[in-house]
Amino acid sequence: MSDQLMKAVGLYRYLPIEDPESLMDLTIEKPTPSGRDLLVKVKAISVNPVDTKVRAPKDKKEEKPKILGYDVAGIVEEVGESCTLFKPGDEVFYAGTITRQGGNSEFHLVDERIVGRKPASLSFAEAAALPLTGITAWEGMFDRIGISENAADNRNKTILIISGAGGVGSIATQLGKHAGLTVIATASRPESINWVKKQGADHVVNHREDLVSQVRELGYTYVDYIFCLNSTGEHYEAMCELIAPQGTIGTIVESDHPLDLSPLKSKSAGFVWEYMFTRAMYETEDMIRQHDILNKLSTLADQKKIQTTLTKRLEPIHAANLRKAHSIVEQGDMIGKLVIEHF
């Protein structure tokens, strides 16, 4: 293959995952970095629910191939003229942005301000499981909900994490424990309950049953924080009941019906959204915060204070394996993260 070309997996049409054209093996032009962009040689990628949502069937057709993929671990190949944070040869990990081509390609362009230093103690596959879920959990808890990163501030504080066994929930549980919180996480199957406990949850309740009665049976009339990672509309009434006066609810999942904020008024309780792509999408002044968050996660991983959430691994990176991965994630019962490595 020419040095100017590279392998990639992408689409022209948005089709059901069973269709072989839903994700196809492609040969496309290798990009060149400029400005603050890094050109990264991709070693491992992870598949998230956002990949399947972007790929979901619709009438739109692409003139140029659309490349998905919002979790990458790799090695910096080249840097743009304005880069100051990384140099060729550096091992990195990141989630990218939904407004640019994704990382399901041999080489990938990404702004260095949303890239972190790969944990030295983790393989590329183990590292690729962390960026999107790690940033989402960190931003959601510490930047949006407003939880202190200082464990001493969180003594006797509680958080309810709805959907604790998924990708974000697995990291949020670990970060909650690291931040000194009492973590109540939800899970409904024996294997997901065991996984959530392994991540450090103090208590596990079943999100398919009455959350209010279960939490109160544990001795908590209210919880200080709630982080909802699944079915916001379904759990909204219970969250409004359980949130403490002056507490905060955060969610990453849109509701299938409008949410009435009125029940939160008497408690002066807050409701906030977390969307991991916001900073890069709008190029906010604090966009480099994601670089800092990833470096903090990298340090915590190397100190063994958090662990990778990789639970399923495929190889190599090609269309058939990506279609398989999308199918698994679409089923909605994934525990931890699925990673594909090596082109």
Side-chain angles (χ1 to χ4, degrees):
M1 185 177 293
S2 164
D3 288 345
Q4 303 308 310
L5 298 175
M6 66 176 182
K7 295 177 184 177
V9 177
L11 59 86
Y12 289 94
R13 295 187 296 151
Y14 296 84
L15 300 164
I17 199 60
E18 297 77 19
D19 193 309
E21 291 190 9
S22 61
L23 291 169
M24 301 184 295
D25 290 309
L26 306 168
T27 300
I28 62 174
E29 189 174 340
K30 179 180 173 182
T32 301
S34 61
R36 299 202 71 172
D37 276 353
L38 309 173
L39 181 68
V40 176
K41 182 175 179 60
V42 176
K43 304 290 284 185
I45 59 174
S46 182
V47 176
N48 294 281
V50 65
D51 296 73
T52 67
K53 290 177 182 177
V54 174
R55 197 219 76 250
K58 47 184 163 289
D59 291 336
K60 183 180 179 183
K61 292 184 179 180
E62 301 288 352
E63 291 185 11
K64 296 180 180 180
K66 173 75 171 177
I67 312 298
L68 307 177
Y70 309 104
D71 261 333
V72 172
I75 302 171
V76 177
E77 181 90 353
E78 299 176 38
V79 301
E81 68 278 3
S82 300
C83 288
T84 60
L85 302 175
F86 297 99
K87 63 185 185 304
D90 287 345
E91 296 183 351
V92 295
F93 72 149
Y94 59 91
T97 173
I98 204 157
T99 53
R100 301 180 68 177
Q101 292 284 42
N104 294 348
S105 53
E106 277 190 285
F107 296 91
H108 184 231
L109 284 182
V110 62
D111 190 300
E112 67 171 355
R113 289 171 290 180
I114 58 172
V115 175
R117 166 183 50 81
K118 181 185 89 60
S121 60
L122 299 185
S123 68
F124 285 102
E126 290 169 332
L130 290 174
L132 185 144
T133 55
I135 293 171
T136 301
W138 196 291
E139 286 187 342
M141 294 169 70
F142 303 127
D143 293 4
R144 313 299 180 216
I145 294 175
I147 299 168
S148 173
E149 294 179 31
N150 183 356
D153 295 335
N154 297 321
R155 197 170 293 117
N156 303 319
K157 297 279 184 73
T158 52
I159 185 169
L160 172 63
I161 298 173
I162 297 174
S163 190
V168 178
S170 301
I171 292 294
T173 299
Q174 295 184 56
L175 290 177
K177 287 308 300 173
H178 179 69
L181 294 165
T182 296
V183 176
I184 305 168
T186 79
S188 62
R189 294 170 290 145
E191 59 269 35
S192 57
I193 291 168
N194 288 336
W195 173 259
V196 167
K197 289 179 178 176
K198 183 181 174 185
Q199 306 315 303
D202 297 285
H203 307 285
V204 183
V205 295
N206 190 337
H207 47 249
R208 301 194 188 281
E209 299 175 7
D210 184 346
L211 284 178
V212 176
S213 63
Q214 290 178 85
V215 171
R216 289 185 173 162
E217 283 171 11
L218 293 173
Y220 301 98
T221 303
Y222 302 117
V223 292
D224 298 287
Y225 311 110
I226 299 176
F227 197 16
C228 182
L229 310 174
N230 191 44
S231 302
T232 300
E234 178 185 337
H235 298 300
Y236 186 68
E237 188 176 333
M239 292 193 289
C240 289
E241 175 61 31
L242 283 171
I243 194 64
Q246 304 183 100
T248 305
I249 299 168
T251 186
I252 66 170
V253 186
E254 61 275 15
S255 172
D256 55 7
H257 57 79
L259 299 175
D260 178 13
L261 296 179
S262 305
L264 300 176
K265 181 183 178 183
S266 69
K267 291 182 174 179
S268 297
F271 183 92
V272 294
W273 292 100
E274 158 57 16
Y275 186 53
M276 193 226 68
F277 294 119
T278 297
R279 282 178 160 127
M281 177 184 289
Y282 293 98
E283 295 191 4
T284 60
E285 289 184 8
D286 65 348
M287 182 172 161
I288 201 168
R289 168 74 171 158
Q290 291 195 343
H291 166 73
D292 297 332
I293 290 170
L294 286 168
N295 282 347
K296 289 181 180 183
L297 289 166
S298 183
T299 298
L300 290 175
D302 284 339
Q303 293 173 344
K304 310 301 182 190
K305 291 178 179 176
I306 64 167
Q307 59 186 345
T308 182
T309 54
L310 168 62
T311 54
K312 190 170 183 64
R313 188 190 314 232
L314 300 174
E315 64 174 302
I317 302 170
H318 56 37
N321 271 339
L322 268 159
R323 288 196 300 270
K324 181 177 180 181
H326 275 235
S327 180
I328 291 169
V329 172
E330 279 185 342
Q331 291 170 16
D333 57 2
M334 182 76 192
I335 296 172
K337 291 294 298 291
L338 186 158
V339 170
I340 314 176
E341 56 183 334
H342 306 139
F343 272 94

